[in-house]
């Protein structure tokens, strides 16, 4: 963009008259193209004392624009933040863009007859910070492949940076080998996202913290628990009546951090033994829940076998009420029938995964993490720190 320079006296106009009419003039060299085009205004009808000339191929040299209108035009046309949504969770992406005061980027996504995915950006992203909102929720393979193709399209469109915003990271449970000859699919997916061209990943409540180490690019890991904590605080439950329960030994660190934020509530643990994938058997309870309101905390609910058997055990041990809190509601069958069977006073989830109408039931409460993700997106774009209390980690170690 051409720079602002002081006007020089013209032979046809006295210097004093020129200063009175316009002390600052934006002159464009004839060899430079001005990047903006705005409606020209008459220099004598402008309201500002300081006038600028906005020039372009279709704007006459004599047209002047007020300082305020010029700045507004520049801000509108030179924003470098773009948000695009895949087909997995467009409602969440829309909430994020609304929170930031932006419009979702225009993108064309379709499937060919043989199932192949086609992606085309409908607007320029050259030199922009692009954020692609796409959880890898069911159907996981379809949504993952769509994310990879979206990243590739942005890379080939010369985006400055590409951030994959993955509210729910599929394959996160395959993060280690528990038996011989198993794959570590979480590492494989991380490699795919990295090699496709992503510069950064923004994830919400990964199943395990070590998954961040599988990426060779920066990972911003945010937690959905602050949203749930705010909601529980609004219910006015006495802190003396609360007990936070981990549905398995692997979730103790998460439950302990949650309990610390929830008025340092006591902790209980459900000991379970898993005999197969999606099959769990509860053995016993560690801790006291008699006469208390039990808050069961987990990162996801899939078939709800673990958490429903844990809730049944809590009722047997004398718990007054049982709440289920989770960030990711995968809700594979028969999760809905188990959760709506009367074991839970309330099931609190977030909208990282879209929920179909038939999966709603009376005890279900859905909270939005759009503001959490939007604030993080802005901090990444603006090169600010994310270490602010509502958006920081819960101290899980």
């Amino acid at each position: 963009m051409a720079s602002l320079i002081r006007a020089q006296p013209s032979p046809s106009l006295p210097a004093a008259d020129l200063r009175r009419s316009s002390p600052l003039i934006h002159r464009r060299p004839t060899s430079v193209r001005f990047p903006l085009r705005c409606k020209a205004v008459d220099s004598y009808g402008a309201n500002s004392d300081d006038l600028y000339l906005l020039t372009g191929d279709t704007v006459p040299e004599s047209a002047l624009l007020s300082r305020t209108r010029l700045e507004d035009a520049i801000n509108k046309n030179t924003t470098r933040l773009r948000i695009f949504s895949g087909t997995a969770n467009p409602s969440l992406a829309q909430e994020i863009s609304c929170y930031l005061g932006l419009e979702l980027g225009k993108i064309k996504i379709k499937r060919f007859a043989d199932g192949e995915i086609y992606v085309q950006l409908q607007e320029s992203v050259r030199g922009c910070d692009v954020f692609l909102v796409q959880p890898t929720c069911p159907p996981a393979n379809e949504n993952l492949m769509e994310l990879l193709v979206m990243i590739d399209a942005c890379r080939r469109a010369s985006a400055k940076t590409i951030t994959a915003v993955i509210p729910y990271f599929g394959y996160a449970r395959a993060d280690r080998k528990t038996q011989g000859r198993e794959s570590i699919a979480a590492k494989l997916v991380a490699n795919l996202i990295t090699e496709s061209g992503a510069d950064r990943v923004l994830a919400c409540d990964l199943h395990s913290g070590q998954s961040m180490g599988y990426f060779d690019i920066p990972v911003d890991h945010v937690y959905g628990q602050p949203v749930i904590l705010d909601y529980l605080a609004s219910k006015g439950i006495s802190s003396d009546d609360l007990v936070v329960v981990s549905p398995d030994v692997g979730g103790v660190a998460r439950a302990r951090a949650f309990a610390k934020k929830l008025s340092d509530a006591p902790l209980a643990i459900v000991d379970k033994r898993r005999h197969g994938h999606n099959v769990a058997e509860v053995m016993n309870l560690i801790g006291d829940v008699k006469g208390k309101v039990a808050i069961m905390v987990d990162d996801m609910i899939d078939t709800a076998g673990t958490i429903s058997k844990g809730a049944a055990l809590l009722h047997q041990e004398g718990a007054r009420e049982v709440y289920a809190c989770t960030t990711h509601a995968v809700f594979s069958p028969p999760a809905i029938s188990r959760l709506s069977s009367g074991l839970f006073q309330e099931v609190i989830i977030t909208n990282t995964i879209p929920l179909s109408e038939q999966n709603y039931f009376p005890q279900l409460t859905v909270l939005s993490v759009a503001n959490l993700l939007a604030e993080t997106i802005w901090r990444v774009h603006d090169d600010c720190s994310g270490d602010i209390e509502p958006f920081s980690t819960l101290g899980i170690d």
Side-chain angles (χ1 to χ4, degrees):
M1 186 181 294
S3 59
L4 293 174
I5 59 175
R6 283 284 173 181
Q8 299 299 322
S10 171
S12 59
L13 184 64
D17 294 339
L18 179 61
R19 285 194 297 271
R20 283 196 299 270
S21 63
S22 179
L24 285 174
I25 293 181
H26 188 175
R27 284 187 175 174
R28 176 179 67 99
T30 56
S31 60
V32 178
R33 293 175 60 88
F34 198 89
L36 300 176
R37 285 191 173 86
C38 300
K39 183 180 178 181
V41 295
D42 184 82
S43 61
Y44 300 103
N47 296 324
S48 174
D49 291 330
D50 293 337
L51 299 175
Y52 297 82
L53 181 64
L54 183 64
T55 59
D57 294 341
T58 61
V59 180
E61 288 283 334
S62 59
L64 296 175
L65 189 66
S66 69
R67 184 198 302 260
T68 303
R69 293 186 60 185
L70 178 62
E71 291 175 350
D72 291 342
I74 291 175
N75 291 335
K76 180 179 179 181
N77 286 273
T78 61
T79 177
R80 295 301 180 187
L81 174 60
R82 297 284 191 275
I83 299 176
F84 293 91
S85 173
T87 60
N89 198 345
S91 59
L92 176 59
Q94 185 64 57
E95 288 185 48
I96 292 172
S97 61
C98 287
Y99 184 91
L100 293 171
L102 301 172
E103 293 184 0
L104 275 179
K106 296 178 176 61
I107 186 171
K108 181 180 181 180
I109 303 175
K110 69 176 183 179
R111 263 69 170 174
F112 289 109
D114 62 352
E116 294 180 7
I117 299 172
Y118 173 83
V119 172
Q120 182 189 30
L121 302 178
Q122 301 288 296
E123 60 184 71
S124 174
V125 295
R126 186 179 298 275
C128 296
D129 293 330
V130 176
F131 293 82
L132 305 175
V133 182
Q134 176 80 341
T136 54
C137 52
N141 298 331
E142 282 281 317
N143 291 329
L144 174 60
M145 190 63 196
E146 184 178 301
L147 174 62
L148 298 178
V149 178
M150 290 170 64
I151 293 173
D152 183 70
C154 293
R155 179 174 64 88
R156 297 179 187 278
S158 301
K160 180 182 177 182
T161 62
I162 304 170
T163 301
V165 182
I166 311 176
Y168 170 71
F169 181 63
Y171 288 102
R173 285 174 283 185
D175 57 355
R176 64 191 185 279
K177 292 181 68 173
T178 58
Q179 303 178 52
R181 300 176 297 280
E182 283 186 335
S183 69
I184 304 179
K187 172 59 176 173
L188 172 62
V189 173
N191 287 343
L192 289 172
I193 293 173
T194 302
E195 293 301 321
S196 64
D199 299 292
R200 195 180 200 96
V201 168
L202 169 56
C204 183
D205 263 333
L206 292 171
H207 185 65
S208 56
Q210 66 261 28
S211 297
M212 288 185 286
Y214 295 157
F215 292 90
D216 296 325
I217 54 178
V219 177
D220 293 296
H221 188 202
V222 298
Y223 291 83
Q225 277 88 347
V227 178
I228 300 175
L229 285 167
D230 287 343
Y231 176 76
L232 290 174
S234 69
K235 298 185 73 67
I237 303 174
S238 174
S239 58
D240 296 333
D241 296 334
L242 285 174
V243 58
V244 176
V245 181
S246 173
D248 54 33
V249 176
V252 171
R254 182 183 302 105
R256 184 177 67 236
F258 193 91
K260 184 178 179 180
K261 295 289 185 179
L262 200 62
S263 302
D264 204 12
L267 182 67
I269 305 168
V270 175
D271 177 35
K272 72 172 185 181
R273 304 295 168 89
R274 188 181 292 277
H275 299 289
H277 295 295
N278 295 331
V279 177
E281 180 181 353
V282 172
M283 301 300 293
N284 51 45
L285 177 70
I286 304 171
D288 181 27
V289 298
K290 188 173 183 180
K292 294 184 177 292
V293 176
I295 309 293
M296 300 190 73
V297 180
D298 209 349
D299 64 317
M300 70 174 70
I301 296 178
D302 190 355
T303 61
T306 298
I307 203 164
S308 60
K309 288 184 179 181
L313 178 64
L314 293 176
H315 282 293
Q316 292 175 12
E317 296 293 329
R320 189 168 81 242
E321 293 177 349
V322 179
Y323 289 79
C325 301
T326 187
T327 303
H328 309 301
V330 182
F331 285 0
S332 303
I336 301 303
S337 60
R338 288 171 172 171
L339 294 173
S340 59
S341 62
L343 289 172
F344 299 97
Q345 179 75 15
E346 191 172 0
V347 178
I348 305 168
I349 65 173
T350 69
N351 61 343
T352 57
I353 297 176
L355 201 62
S356 57
E357 289 293 333
Q358 61 266 27
N359 285 343
Y360 281 90
F361 52 94
Q363 297 92 345
L364 185 67
T365 299
V366 181
L367 306 177
S368 178
V369 294
N371 60 339
L372 186 72
L373 295 174
E375 288 284 351
T376 308
I377 287 173
W378 178 252
R379 281 163 172 75
V380 171
H381 169 67
D382 202 38
D383 295 327
C384 294
S385 171
D387 293 334
I388 299 177
E389 179 65 20
F391 312 108
S392 62
T393 66
L394 291 177
I396 294 177
D397 51 22

